[in-house]
Amino acid sequence: MTAKGPVLVMVLKGYPRISETFISNEILRLEELGFTVRIVSMREPREPFHHASVGRIRAEVVYLPERILPRLPVLLYENFRAALAAPRGYARAVRRTLAHLRQTKRSATLKHLLQAGYLVRRALRPGESAHLHAHFAHSPTSVALCAGLIAGLPVSFTAHAKDVWTQDPKRLAEKIGRAAFVVTCTETNKRYLSRLSPNGTPVFTVYHGIDLGLFQNGASRAAPTPPYRLLCVARLTAKKGLDTVLDALAVLAGRGVAFTCDLIGEGEERGALTAQAARLGLGDRVRFHGTLPHEQVLGFYRQADAFVLGCRILANGDRDGVPNVVVEAMAMGVPVAATNVSALPELARNESTALTCPPENPLALAGNLERLLADIPLRTRLVAAAKAAVARDFDNTANSRRLAAIFAAQAGDPAGAFAALAPAEPSS
């Protein structure tokens, strides 16, 4: 994956995205380890700012046409050129697309073929050795696998959360079977994906790491005093369980606990949540800040007395893995009250590194927040254990080295540039 090895072509849903810093941090760390990365984004940026780390990434970025009709002439031209250059590969991609189209009846299936042909022409270089790796197991992986068929290149992907749990298991199993290997961010995901694998495709767990040098030296008070500062950082979407969080805050208010809560994030549930906060009489206690860059969020972590999140599993299966914000809060020394769904207990272990409860239980969540604020020995013990767990499992420098070792072993590293990074052949 150096100038002498394959170029790592990363296919992303969008770049840069403020909510996907784990991806930009991964790319940055891989570049620092010597990888040559080229980014292929299926969407143009949609936010007016990005985290500072994005500016340090050197990778070339190629944007695929997001809307087909306005770009149809250039898409057809590039696909025609791709078919001329690799007629057998393109024919394989067309056959696969038509088979999927019969199953799905969705126009997106044809869109992915056209985007794949465009990718092959615009993001790959003649004579260049490349490996395609997609982030998220839905549309980015569909495009990457189609491009791999056309160009005859190996393809792998990283599976995260919604893309794992809301996708048709048969379709996901097919993608796993066609991949060189799969990476995922929790052991819970790994067990599920491994069961789906039709042919023993290796599945590796690599947690989303954080920059421990950035998220440290939190000034969370060992013995906080009222009014307490509570913090929640999350996309304002149903699976985060923020309505449960607001109900829990209303319980605290009813018990006479003096507090404010800073809620950082944006999403489709904002209107409903602000209305709920007003209805519960929390309008002067809960402050909605919208999306903020890491540099500003750090200040809120430093002032927080406790962090709260109410994740749930939705009816369609959508759920979180281990939310990065929980990792960040723990690294900053902020005690965490959360729910025990999905992969959260891989880090937020009840009475060990956090206080957890079942989802949809505002009374239990409120009780856990009260304990974190009032029980100083408990608070001190949880904070120390949580910091140690984050340092052990969520250091993005160490995790990027593990990912580099997986790429070196699984995607090929003819120059041997990463042999020193891999303690041994990575096991699935």
Side-chain angles (χ1 to χ4, degrees):
M1 304 280 176
T2 65
K4 297 181 180 179
V7 173
L8 182 57
V9 180
M10 302 277 265
V11 184
L12 312 179
K13 186 72 172 178
Y15 177 84
R17 300 180 81 175
I18 200 74
S19 64
E20 294 176 3
T21 52
F22 52 91
I23 296 177
S24 57
N25 286 340
E26 174 185 299
I27 293 170
L28 178 61
R29 294 299 183 191
L30 288 173
E31 286 189 334
E32 290 172 348
L33 288 170
F35 282 64
T36 299
V37 180
R38 186 172 302 130
I39 297 169
V40 176
S41 175
M42 297 176 66
R43 290 178 179 171
E44 298 276 349
R46 294 186 173 183
E47 291 121 349
F49 62 90
H50 54 72
H51 297 307
S53 60
V54 171
R56 295 158 55 197
I57 292 173
R58 302 185 303 274
E60 174 190 0
V61 184
V62 176
Y63 288 99
L64 302 181
E66 181 179 350
R67 298 175 61 211
I68 296 304
L69 288 179
R71 302 292 303 279
L72 188 58
V74 70
L75 279 165
L76 292 175
Y77 173 76
E78 296 295 12
N79 275 263
F80 177 71
R81 296 288 301 275
L84 285 179
R88 291 184 179 179
Y90 199 86
R92 286 195 297 269
V94 169
R95 287 195 296 270
R96 181 78 63 173
T97 298
L98 292 177
H100 288 162
L101 188 61
R102 285 192 292 269
Q103 297 168 6
T104 65
K105 307 294 192 297
R106 296 177 64 241
S107 61
T109 304
L110 287 175
K111 176 181 177 179
H112 294 157
L113 171 64
L114 294 174
Q115 289 177 318
Y118 187 96
L119 184 160
V120 168
R121 292 289 304 164
R122 295 293 184 95
L124 302 179
R125 307 290 180 259
E128 176 181 75
S129 178
H131 179 88
L132 289 160
H133 185 81
H135 263 285
F136 294 100
H138 42 45
S139 53
T141 295
S142 297
V143 172
L145 287 170
C146 199
L149 282 176
I150 296 171
L153 293 176
V155 180
S156 55
F157 64 90
T158 297
H160 294 273
K162 180 178 181 179
D163 54 317
V164 173
W165 298 102
T166 65
Q167 190 166 177
D168 180 352
K170 291 182 180 179
R171 180 77 175 106
L172 185 53
E174 181 196 351
K175 291 178 179 180
I176 296 169
R178 292 175 56 201
F181 61 93
V182 176
V183 180
T184 193
C185 53
T186 70
E187 287 293 327
T188 301
N189 285 356
K190 177 185 173 180
R191 289 191 292 271
Y192 176 67
L193 296 169
S194 296
R195 288 197 301 271
L196 289 180
S197 177
N199 58 355
T201 296
V203 181
F204 303 93
T205 300
V206 180
Y207 285 117
H208 294 158
I210 64 169
D211 183 348
L212 295 182
L214 180 64
F215 293 96
Q216 66 174 356
N217 300 323
S220 181
R221 290 167 282 180
T225 56
Y228 303 111
R229 293 279 305 263
L230 306 180
L231 177 63
C232 179
V233 184
R235 283 188 297 115
L236 308 188
T237 190
K239 70 178 178 180
K240 301 294 183 179
L242 301 181
D243 53 335
T244 301
V245 170
L246 291 178
D247 285 339
L249 296 181
V251 171
L252 290 182
R255 293 175 181 173
V257 178
F259 68 88
T260 60
C261 181
D262 294 296
L263 207 164
I264 298 173
E266 196 56 81
E268 68 276 7
E269 296 286 315
R270 177 157 187 161
L273 291 169
T274 53
Q276 180 186 359
R279 186 171 66 253
L280 294 172
L282 299 173
D284 59 344
R285 294 175 183 258
V286 178
R287 299 178 288 230
F288 290 83
H289 296 275
T291 303
L292 299 174
H294 268 153
E295 294 72 26
Q296 293 183 36
V297 177
L298 283 169
F300 286 93
Y301 281 126
R302 293 190 182 102
Q303 297 174 21
D305 295 313
F307 184 93
V308 59
L309 198 59
C311 297
R312 58 161 66 97
I313 299 175
L314 299 184
N316 67 354
D318 192 9
R319 67 197 73 181
D320 269 320
V322 179
N324 272 27
V325 292
V326 172
V327 184
E328 294 168 359
M330 289 182 172
M332 295 288 289
V334 184
V336 171
T339 52
N340 57 4
V341 301
S342 187
L344 262 165
E346 293 179 30
L347 176 61
R349 296 182 287 275
N350 191 41
E351 301 286 348
S352 173
T353 59
L355 293 183
T356 67
C357 65
E360 323 287 355
N361 194 333
L363 284 174
L365 192 59
N368 284 343
L369 281 170
E370 279 194 294
R371 289 182 64 197
L372 290 179
L373 296 171
D375 188 336
I376 304 307
L378 170 69
R379 177 189 182 86
T380 302
R381 175 172 61 81
L382 293 179
V383 165
K387 279 189 170 184
V390 168
R392 182 183 64 246
D393 294 329
F394 292 87
D395 176 358
N396 69 358
T397 298
N399 290 357
S400 294
R401 287 179 178 271
R402 169 160 172 73
L403 187 62
I406 292 168
F407 278 119
Q410 301 294 321
D413 182 23
F418 295 96
L421 300 178
E425 177 82 7
S427 62
S428 59

